Structure formats: structure tokens, C-alpha cells
Amino acid sequence: MAGVILTIVLVFVLFLGIGGYLAARLARAAGRQIDRTVSQTRRAVEDATLKARQYSRPGPAGEVAQLRVELRTSMRATREALDAAAPTDPSLSEALDLYRRLSHHGHELDEELKRLENEPDRSGLGERLPGLRKRTQRVTHSADSLRWAIQDRARRFAEDDLSTLGSQIDLEVDALRHWTPTDGPKPESASPGPEGRSESEARRAESEKRKKTDPPRSEIPFRPPWNRPSKSRRPDHRPENTS
């Protein structure tokens, strides 16, 4: 009895442990989904605010907002291209490492531009703008080059695969249109081959030869049975009696 109770308790504790583990996994997954949704929403709001600032703020402040929009748009597009191509192309691991290094410089530049948006010294901000613009162009150019290379690689793979598939389909189409007929009864309408034609010609020639050698039945005179000559029977030759 004590063993049964102990078994039931162990099974209950096991189910509790499994339930707690699954609940923790679900809560962690839900938390990651919520964080991802919040970050995407915050990013969308920041992008909309920056696009509004680049038109609403004239001068250096508006240009700084425009640099931030260009930088964030280029980096995000490159990241999306890598995320789409990396699972199917393991050779992009080096490109991922390069993007991480470039992303570090991009985040630093974005933070610096973000601080300069509320800079009260407009003259000082105007003096720093050429250097900021040059750094932004270098980062965006590297990100765009990496993204274009990834897209060209994916497009080339798709074209090669489509070309191979087209060749295979053409071979299959040719195989379906040209087949070898199986052994079976030939239709009557089919024209005889060379062997069948030679056999039929030989039979026709033999029949004509027989017609030429054998006289027709109409040329043989008919004789009634009583006019036909009877076979003469030889008289029996008996030996003479010499005695």
C-alpha cells in the first residue's frame, strides 16, 4: 500500500514539474513575442517622427533627421535581406559577421545623430554636418553594397535552378512524345513493314507460278464413266502340267 501511494506522489510531482517547465517556456516565448512587437512598434513610431522632423524642421536639425532616416532604412533593409537568405545559404556566415560589425558603427552613428537633433547651437551643428554626412554615406554605402550582393546571389541561384528545371522538363517532354510501342496485335490499317511486304510478294509470285504450270479445270475434257477405258486384266498364267 505504501508503494502505491509513493508511486502516485512521484507521478503527481512529475506532472507538476512538466507543467511548470511548459508554462515557463510558453511565458518566455510570449515575452519574446511581446518584446518584438513593442520594438517594432517603437521603431515604426520613431521612423514616422523622423520623417516628420526632416520636413518640419528647416536647417541643420532637419538634415540630421534626414541622415537618421537614410541610415536606419538602409541598415534595416540589409538586415531583412540577410535574415531571408541566410537560412538557405550557409555561405553567408561571413556576411553576417561583417553586418554585425557594420551595425555596431551604425548604432553609434545613430545615437550621435539622435543627440545632435536637440543641439541648441545651430552654427556648431552646421559645422559638424559635413563629417556626419560623410560617415552616414560610408555606412549606408557599405550596407547597400552588401544587400545588393546578397540579392544578386539569390537571383543568380534562382536563375540557375530555373534553367536546370527547364532542361529537365524539355527532356521529359521529348520522352513523353517519342515512345517505343509495346509488342501486341498490330492494327489492320497499319502499313506492313519491309519484312511483311516481302513475304506477301513471295506468296503472290508463288500463286501466279502455280496458275501458269497447272492447266485450268475448264480445259480438261470431261468423260463419263462408261466411256473411260477400263483397265485390262491380265489372264492368269498358270504353269503347264509337264507330267
Side-chain angles (χ1 to χ4, degrees):
M1 188 65 182
V4 175
I5 295 174
L6 181 60
T7 303
I8 294 174
V9 171
L10 291 176
V11 171
F12 180 73
V13 172
L14 180 62
F15 275 112
L16 284 179
I18 295 174
Y21 174 74
L22 293 178
R25 291 290 301 272
L26 290 175
R28 194 178 297 112
R32 286 196 298 268
Q33 183 66 27
I34 292 173
D35 293 340
R36 190 180 301 111
T37 304
V38 170
S39 63
Q40 290 177 355
T41 304
R42 183 168 56 249
R43 190 182 302 113
V45 171
E46 290 179 356
D47 292 342
T49 304
L50 288 174
K51 290 179 181 179
R53 286 178 181 175
Q54 69 177 343
Y55 298 111
S56 62
R57 291 185 178 182
E63 191 170 353
V64 169
Q66 182 179 358
L67 292 178
R68 288 193 66 192
V69 171
E70 294 176 359
L71 176 64
R72 293 163 67 91
T73 303
S74 178
M75 296 298 294
R76 186 182 305 115
T78 305
R79 180 65 188 183
E80 291 175 356
L82 277 171
D83 291 340
T88 58
D89 193 355
S91 61
L92 293 178
S93 58
E94 185 67 22
L96 284 171
D97 295 336
L98 294 175
Y99 175 79
R100 293 189 186 99
R101 295 170 57 186
L102 183 64
S103 179
H104 178 69
H105 291 281
H107 283 301
E108 289 182 351
L109 180 59
D110 184 65
E111 291 295 330
E112 185 176 356
L113 292 172
K114 185 177 181 181
R115 290 192 301 267
L116 293 175
E117 281 184 356
N118 300 322
E119 178 64 37
D121 188 4
R122 302 301 180 183
S123 60
L125 181 58
E127 293 177 358
R128 299 181 61 180
L129 269 178
L132 294 173
R133 190 184 301 111
K134 186 176 180 180
R135 287 177 59 190
T136 304
Q137 290 176 355
R138 290 178 62 183
V139 174
T140 55
H141 176 72
S142 298
D144 294 342
S145 299
L146 187 60
R147 182 177 67 255
W148 293 335
I150 294 170
Q151 293 173 354
D152 291 342
R153 180 181 178 87
R155 182 169 55 253
R156 181 61 181 272
F157 282 168
E159 291 177 356
D160 292 344
D161 184 63
L162 183 61
S163 178
T164 304
L165 181 60
S167 301
Q168 294 176 355
I169 290 176
D170 292 340
L171 291 176
E172 183 64 21
V173 168
D174 292 339
L176 291 174
R177 288 179 175 174
H178 300 84
W179 64 89
T180 303
T182 57
D183 296 337
K186 296 183 179 180
E188 296 180 357
S189 60
S191 59
E195 296 180 358
R197 192 180 299 111
S198 61
E199 291 180 359
S200 61
E201 291 177 356
R203 291 176 181 176
R204 191 181 300 109
E206 185 178 357
S207 62
E208 291 178 357
K209 185 177 180 181
R210 289 179 180 177
K211 289 180 181 179
K212 292 179 179 179
T213 55
D214 297 338
R217 292 178 177 272
S218 59
E219 296 179 0
I220 301 175
F222 176 75
R223 293 181 181 181
W226 55 82
N227 290 337
R228 296 176 182 175
S230 60
K231 296 181 180 180
S232 60
R233 297 181 60 185
R234 292 182 179 181
D236 297 335
H237 295 279
R238 296 180 179 179
E240 294 178 2
N241 190 0
T242 55
S243 57

